Amino acid sequence: MKVPTRLLYEPHDPYAVHIVFYADTDEPVAWALDRDLLAQGTLRPSGEGDVRHWPTHTGPDAVLNLVLSPPHGAAHLTASLSVVTHWLERTYHLVPSGREGDGIDLNAELSRLLHGTA
């Protein structure tokens, strides 16, 4: 079964990528993943617990396997490895690896958290 999916990346949330699945449910199902961990999963098995991913095959038939295991059920999804890899490359052009914290005002974020406005 094909599940329409949307990959989202926002530079103001530089460590995360968001995957939204439009399955046969009333509301879309969204997952947030660590961007670097997803990138590792395009090269070798990565993740643990609720999210695991790994590449299989080579060339144009290469796929990224993604297993999501929330408390109530599990899903094994596949996507074109080249599509995911190219999409991730674009996120690293927006915010290069190691530069994620450059746009974050840690003092303001800490103040927001400590004063209950989070």
Side-chain angles (χ1 to χ4, degrees), residues 31-85:
W31 280 75
L33 307 175
D34 178 270
R35 179 175 71 156
D36 288 343
L37 190 61
L38 181 61
Q40 287 175 7
T42 65
L43 303 172
R44 62 185 173 277
S46 296
E48 59 183 54
D50 290 354
V51 180
R52 293 178 291 119
H53 43 290
W54 64 94
T56 54
H57 310 297
T58 58
D61 295 328
V63 297
L64 177 66
N65 293 275
L66 176 65
V67 173
L68 304 173
S69 303
H72 305 290
H76 182 165
L77 306 154
T78 59
S80 165
L81 184 60
S82 66
V83 169
V84 174
T85 300

Side-chain angles (χ1 to χ4, degrees), residues 3 11 15 25 27 48 51-54 65 74 93 97 106 114:
V3 176
Y15 295 102
T25 59
E27 296 291 325
E48 59 183 54
V51 180
R52 293 178 291 119
H53 43 290
W54 64 94
N65 293 275
H93 284 293
S97 183
L106 292 179
L114 292 174

